[in-house]
Amino acid sequence: MIEFNNVSKWYGEFQVLDNCTTHVSKGEVVVVCGPSGSGKSTLIKTVNALEPFEKGTVWVNGISVGDAKTDLPKLRARAGMVFQHFELFPHLSVTENLCMGQIKVLKRNPEEAKAKAHALLDRVGLLAHKDKHPGMLSGGQQQRVAIARALSMDPMVMLFDEPTSALDPEMVNEVLDVMSDLAREGMTMMVVTHEMGFARRVADRVIFMDGGKIIEDCATSEFFDNADARSERTRLFLSKILQH
Amino acid sequence: MNYDWSWTVFVDLSSNGVDTYLYTLLMGVGWTLALSLSAGVISLFFGSIVAVLRTAPSVWLHFIGTVYVEIFRNIPLLVQMFLWYFVLPEVLPKDWGDALKQMGQPWGQFIPAVLCLSFYGTARLAETLRAGIQSLPRGQGQAGTAMGLTPLQVYRYVIMPQAYRIVIPPLTSEFMGIVKYSSVALTIGLLELTGQARAMQEFSFHIFEAFSAATAGYLAINGCVVMAMHYLERHFALPGRIGWKARMKLSGSAS
Ligand SMILES: Nc1ncnc2c1ncn2[C@@H]1O[C@H](COP(=O)(O)OP(=O)(O)OP(=O)(O)O)[C@@H](O)[C@H]1O
Ligand SMILES: [Mg+2]
């Protein structure tokens, strides 16, 4: 479904991505972790071309992202993205947030879009809030709306960039539960997160990045249970993050 | 001081021998309003476009926007007024220039004045709006882009509706500025409010009454600007954001 081949990216002299090669198969859930500044966000944002890259190729469902001829809006419409700070549109109601892409990008008619929006809101348990503005919802609720908004486009893959790290602890689980449900239904997902409990339960594979490089790329059980086979850097990271 | 105060001077006949001073002053208010309103609307429209250019990722668009703003923001308004009135007809193709010159009072003055205030206002509003656009979190544009909106759609549906809301307070000052700057049109002979007050003063020697009236006129116009903008600010306030409580209080419903 997604293939990264030797992807490299620089900010001037500074290399953010260093020959990253990996893949995400259809229906697979891949967790990306690593210290701050290691290039996790940059890597998943190459998938929908929010971050351009200088070298290598990224293929999404047979389409080359870096190709100048690729219709990027069309590609992006099929890749749902969920951000750390939700990024709901504060001037629109919850329903309107879910309809915008459907109407403007997919050209669905407003009735159809609204029906779809309400079905998705029901699914994430927020139908009662359909007419509110995002500013009136809690962080956890906003992130669930953001997931519903991404799903409204019928994406073939969902990208999550630290979806729970801006949330108060008591709201983390309501968001992780929605994500776990999605995974169970077979959605292809790439998730940047430090929630190792979620990774262990839900992920098929774990990628560990440091300094723009992919250091580990292995099955979840291998990643967590076979510590001896992990690099020094990975063990250090895991020991820090699993302490609490 | 030996000054003959007389508020009844307003009902005296003005220099044209037909209308009262009150009438000519009200005509002045009318031209000030027409000039400010035209310049305000045009400036808001083109200012939005220039602000988008200034924040566009393309180096060229950004450059064009910047050059525009720096030129029109940095030349004194009075000089710009003279350029539009005296120089423009000379540099246009001959029949266009002649047509401009032959237009006569008041359109021959009104059109250059609208052009002048609009070009200047566009530069100023573009700066105000650019600040608003840049104060939005970068993620907002990314979220719009990520769902497949084109760059123009991102501006149209995501960025600008938020930017306009943010800049309502500084926009109020800019619109009031346009009303005040419109008095510069007097220098090219447009009989807007200041022009009429001066004409009255010259003919009747009632300088205090004339400029008291002008002062009252500007205060009234800008008072309306302030009230209209306050209304817009409350009307478009977002739930859970600044201004929302005021809106709720006004409409009497609880949130
Ligand atoms: N526009 C930019 N210009 C220069 N450097 C940048 C820019 N954007 C990101 N970087 C740098 O690129 C590196 C990777 O950034 P990225 O956001 O991908 O890291 P991350 O792994 O997601 O980190 P975090 O956990 O903090 O989100 C960081 O060191 C960051 O400072
Ligand atoms: Mg990041």
Side-chain angles (χ1 to χ4, degrees):
Chain A
M1 170 81 46
I2 307 177
E3 258 180 70
F4 302 85
N5 295 315
N6 296 309
V7 178
S8 295
K9 177 185 172 72
W10 287 263
Y11 282 116
E13 293 285 284
F14 178 72
Q15 188 161 10
V16 219
L17 293 180
D18 189 350
N19 265 305
C20 296
T21 301
T22 184
H23 68 277
V24 181
S25 312
K26 190 163 165 47
E28 204 176 21
V29 177
V30 174
V31 159
V32 182
C33 60
S36 182
S38 54
K40 310 177 294 292
S41 301
T42 312
L43 182 72
I44 69 162
K45 286 178 182 173
T46 59
V47 174
N48 58 358
L50 282 187
E51 294 280 3
F53 46 91
E54 281 82 36
K55 267 180 62 185
T57 51
V58 177
W59 293 85
V60 180
N61 210 20
I63 299 163
S64 170
V65 176
D67 192 329
K69 289 193 289 290
T70 300
D71 180 353
L72 288 180
K74 198 170 159 194
L75 174 89
R76 287 169 176 144
R78 306 296 318 278
M81 179 138 204
V82 175
F83 298 83
Q84 183 173 2
H85 297 287
F86 332 133
E87 307 300 350
L88 294 174
F89 305 134
H91 56 295
L92 301 177
S93 74
V94 165
T95 302
E96 288 165 339
N97 263 276
L98 269 70
C99 289
M100 158 105 74
Q102 298 188 66
I103 295 172
K104 304 295 176 204
V105 181
L106 303 181
K107 315 284 181 207
R108 288 187 182 144
N109 75 50
E111 303 311 312
E112 193 188 345
K114 205 164 165 184
K116 173 111 192 166
H118 290 166
L120 283 166
L121 285 173
D122 194 24
R123 173 170 167 189
V124 298
L126 292 171
L127 189 56
H129 301 284
K130 65 182 170 33
D131 296 320
K132 290 189 179 164
H133 275 63
M136 302 170 89
L137 303 181
S138 74
Q141 291 171 329
Q142 290 190 49
Q143 196 61 299
R144 280 145 69 198
V145 172
I147 294 172
R149 179 176 69 177
L151 292 174
S152 74
M153 306 292 286
D154 293 323
M156 54 187 181
V157 51
M158 286 283 284
L159 309 167
F160 295 83
D161 190 4
E162 305 203 34
T164 57
S165 58
L167 296 178
D168 292 337
E170 74 268 22
M171 297 174 183
V172 168
N173 281 327
E174 61 186 76
V175 171
L176 292 181
D177 288 347
V178 170
M179 292 168 60
S180 305
D181 287 348
L182 260 183
R184 208 170 308 122
E185 288 159 23
M187 177 62 78
T188 311
M189 293 163 57
M190 209 171 166
V191 186
V192 176
T193 184
H194 291 148
E195 294 292 336
M196 288 301 130
F198 171 83
R200 205 188 259 272
R201 269 183 290 117
V202 179
D204 299 307
R205 261 176 41 238
V206 179
I207 291 173
F208 174 76
M209 292 184 72
D210 191 20
K213 282 197 185 69
I214 294 180
I215 309 276
E216 308 281 354
D217 181 355
C218 53
T220 307
S221 55
E222 168 77 10
F223 185 80
F224 287 108
D225 301 333
N226 193 358
D228 296 340
R230 303 281 71 79
S231 76
E232 181 114 10
R233 191 68 198 77
T234 314
R235 282 197 305 245
L236 189 68
F237 176 80
L238 280 176
S239 72
K240 272 190 201 151
I241 210 162
L242 293 176
Q243 259 168 17
H244 27 248
Chain B
M1 196 174 79
N2 210 345
Y3 184 79
D4 174 26
W5 275 97
S6 160
W7 292 109
T8 55
V9 64
F10 291 116
V11 291
D12 291 351
L13 285 187
S14 68
S15 56
N16 68 15
V18 188
D19 303 313
T20 61
Y21 285 120
L22 184 64
Y23 180 83
T24 58
L25 285 167
L26 285 176
M27 286 300 290
V29 169
W31 283 108
T32 294
L33 279 176
L35 181 54
S36 312
L37 220 59
S38 322
V41 170
I42 298 173
S43 300
L44 186 60
F45 181 77
F46 288 103
S48 305
I49 294 175
V50 176
V52 169
L53 293 182
R54 288 270 272 166
T55 55
S58 149
V59 184
W60 274 108
L61 297 182
H62 179 86
F63 179 76
I64 294 169
T66 307
V67 168
Y68 177 89
V69 167
E70 292 311 333
I71 288 178
F72 285 95
R73 198 167 60 144
N74 289 326
I75 302 176
L77 189 61
L78 187 58
V79 174
Q80 293 192 39
M81 193 64 86
F82 288 164
L83 287 174
W84 286 109
Y85 185 63
F86 295 113
V87 181
L88 180 70
E90 308 301 330
V91 296
L92 283 179
K94 190 163 175 340
D95 22 341
W96 289 33
D98 288 345
L100 261 183
K101 281 188 242 175
Q102 281 156 18
M103 231 177 318
Q105 277 272 14
W107 298 107
Q109 285 73 35
F110 183 75
I111 289 170
V114 168
L115 284 172
C116 172
L117 288 176
S118 299
F119 272 78
Y120 182 66
T122 294
R124 295 198 52 129
L125 292 201
E127 277 305 277
T128 306
L129 276 165
R130 179 180 68 96
I133 292 172
Q134 287 175 339
S135 74
L136 295 176
R138 237 170 65 89
Q140 284 288 305
Q142 285 201 347
T145 307
M147 67 166 53
L149 298 177
T150 63
L152 274 180
Q153 286 178 317
V154 170
Y155 273 106
R156 167 76 180 75
Y157 299 114
V158 178
I159 306 284
M160 296 315 278
Q162 298 185 57
Y164 285 127
R165 284 179 169 85
I166 291 172
V167 301
I168 287 178
L171 216 52
T172 309
S173 318
E174 288 302 327
F175 285 141
M176 292 168 72
I178 289 175
V179 172
K180 290 183 283 180
Y181 302 141
S182 71
S183 62
V184 174
L186 131 98
T187 59
I188 59 170
L190 183 73
L191 285 175
E192 41 65 74
L193 181 52
T194 310
Q196 290 289 13
R198 223 176 62 137
M200 169 176 169
Q201 167 246 317
E202 276 171 357
F203 199 69
S204 69
F205 303 107
H206 281 277
I207 181 168
F208 287 107
E209 291 85 341
F211 283 99
S212 300
T215 305
Y218 284 113
L219 283 177
I221 295 174
N222 272 340
C224 293
V225 172
V226 170
M227 284 195 299
M229 295 300 277
H230 263 301
Y231 172 78
L232 288 180
E233 187 171 6
R234 277 198 308 269
H235 184 76
F236 289 109
L238 295 173
R241 299 264 173 130
I242 309 159
W244 179 249
K245 287 223 176 74
R247 173 177 167 179
M248 280 296 134
K249 233 180 265 164
L250 238 92
S251 60
S253 57
S255 74

